[in-house]
Amino acid sequence: MMLLEKTIESIRELDAEAMEKARSHQKNLIKPYGSLGMLEDVAVKIAGITGEVMPQLENKAVITCAGDHGVAAQRVSVADQEVTQQMVKGFLNGGAAINVITRHTGAKVICVDMGMIKPVDDPRLVVRRVGSGTNNIAEGPAMTREQARAAVEGGIEVATEQIKKGTQLLATGDMGIGNTTPSTAVLAAFTGFPVDLITGKGTGIDCDAMRRKARIVQQALDVNKPDARDGLDVLAKVGGFEIGGIGRSDPGCCRIPCSRGYRRLYLRGRSDDRSCTGPTLCGFCDRLTPLRGTGS
C-alpha cells in the first residue's frame, strides 16, 4: 500500500464523546451559548480531534509550501516569478507577515520548496521538489499524475516529520506567484461555480486583467477537462505543486497516532480552493474534518 492510501486508511473518526463534553462545558460558561460563533465550533472540533475537552496545544507550526506556475506567463499577476524566491527568503529570515503572526502566537514557520523555478540554497528550507514550476495550464496539464501523487505524499511526509517532533497544532500556507489562477481552476472544477464569480484580483491586478484571468481559468478547464470525482486528476491538470503540498499536509496531520487513535489538529491558512483540496485530492471528504481558516 502506497503512502497516500495508507494515510487515508489510518484516519479515524472524531471523538464524539469528547465533543459532547466540550459542548456541555460551553453551555455552563457565564455567557450566552454560541455567542462566540465559529470559535466555539473550533473548540468542539479540537476536542473531537484530540479526544480531550481542554487540550493544551503549546507546540505550533505553520507549514508554508512554495512553488511556481507556468500559467504566470499569461500575465495573471502583477509580480514576476522571482518574487516567489524572494518571499521564501523572507519566510526563512523572519521578515514576512506570517512570521509576525507566528511570533505573537508562539508558532514556528516551516518553509517547504515544492517546486520553485529558482531553488533557494538554505539549510532551513525543507526540500520536497517535484519539479521546477508547473506547466502552463492554459495550454495543457500542470503536471503528470505521478507528480501530483509525489506532491501529496511529500506534504504528508513534512507534516508527519513535524508532528513526530512534538508539534500539536499545524496550519498551512502557500507561496507562488500566479497561484490564485490554478487555485481558482481547482475550486471551479470541484464546485462547478462560475469562473467569473470566483476569480479574484490576486496580487492586485486591475479589472481588465482580472477578466483576462477569468478567461484563462476557463480556458484551462476547457483544455484539460479535470474530473471532479478524481482529486489527483484535478491537481494534475489544473493545480500546483504547493497546492498539492498544503492539501497533502492536511491528511498527514490526521494520521499521526495520539492518545486516542489517529487524530491531529490542523488549520488551513488560505481562503480560496485550499479549503477543499486536501479532502478531495485524497478522496475522503467524509472522513477528513478540517478547521478551515478564514484567510491569511
Side-chain angles (χ1 to χ4, degrees):
M1 185 180 297
M2 300 183 74
L3 177 59
L4 177 56
E5 287 74 18
K6 184 178 180 180
T7 300
I8 295 170
E9 186 64 27
S10 299
I11 295 172
R12 301 292 181 261
E13 300 293 336
L14 296 177
D15 190 321
E17 181 180 354
M19 293 173 71
E20 185 56 39
K21 288 181 178 179
R23 292 190 189 95
S24 296
H25 173 73
Q26 290 178 1
K27 292 176 181 178
N28 289 327
L29 298 176
I30 307 176
K31 67 169 192 62
Y33 178 62
S35 62
L36 295 180
M38 184 180 176
L39 184 60
E40 295 188 21
D41 297 333
V42 170
V44 170
K45 189 162 289 186
I46 290 174
I49 293 172
T50 62
E52 302 175 16
V53 178
M54 302 287 286
Q56 300 299 311
L57 303 173
E58 298 178 355
N59 300 317
K60 296 159 284 191
V62 178
I63 296 176
T64 303
C65 295
D68 279 307
H69 299 267
V71 76
Q74 304 291 143
R75 297 181 294 117
V76 293
S77 173
V78 299
D80 295 330
Q81 285 188 309
E82 293 178 355
V83 175
T84 301
Q85 184 190 51
Q86 293 168 3
M87 284 299 302
V88 166
K89 292 179 179 178
F91 296 144
L92 295 171
N93 293 322
I98 187 59
N99 300 104
V100 176
I101 295 171
T102 54
R103 281 196 290 271
H104 281 284
T105 59
K108 58 184 177 180
V109 175
I110 308 299
C111 195
V112 186
D113 179 2
M114 297 302 307
M116 294 187 293
I117 291 177
K118 296 182 178 180
V120 173
D121 184 11
D122 192 308
R124 297 169 296 180
L125 181 66
V126 178
V127 179
R128 289 291 187 279
R129 291 177 60 81
V130 180
S132 296
T134 59
N135 300 318
N136 187 346
I137 61 173
E139 301 175 349
M143 66 191 83
T144 66
R145 188 177 180 89
E146 290 72 24
Q147 287 177 312
R149 173 179 285 276
V152 173
E153 295 187 343
I156 292 173
E157 291 171 353
V158 172
T160 300
E161 289 169 2
Q162 291 305 313
I163 294 172
K164 286 183 176 179
K165 292 179 180 179
T167 302
Q168 300 164 294
L169 175 64
L170 281 172
T172 58
D174 64 306
M175 178 62 217
I177 294 302
N179 64 6
T180 59
T181 299
S183 71
T184 303
V186 169
L187 180 60
F190 283 140
T191 65
F193 289 163
V195 167
D196 289 343
L197 179 65
I198 60 176
T199 301
K201 292 189 175 182
T203 50
I205 56 178
D206 61 27
C207 291
D208 288 340
M210 186 174 72
R211 286 189 285 270
R212 183 178 67 249
K213 177 180 174 181
R215 291 194 295 270
I216 293 297
V217 172
Q218 188 61 58
Q219 180 177 331
L221 294 169
D222 294 341
V223 167
N224 292 294
K225 297 179 174 55
D227 183 356
R229 299 165 299 178
D230 182 349
L232 282 178
D233 185 71
V234 174
L235 176 61
K237 289 181 175 177
V238 296
F241 296 142
E242 86 285 16
I243 293 174
I246 63 174
R248 55 204 176 220
S249 296
D250 296 337
C253 295
C254 286
R255 72 170 297 274
I256 305 303
C258 60
S259 58
R260 297 195 179 195
Y262 288 78
R263 304 184 193 91
R264 275 299 177 194
L265 174 63
Y266 62 98
L267 297 164
R268 287 191 178 88
R270 288 192 64 123
S271 56
D272 47 27
D273 76 293
R274 280 69 165 190
S275 62
C276 64
T277 48
T280 315
L281 285 173
C282 301
F284 55 99
C285 284
D286 58 331
R287 301 176 63 189
L288 184 58
T289 52
L291 300 177
R292 291 177 174 83
T294 56
S296 64

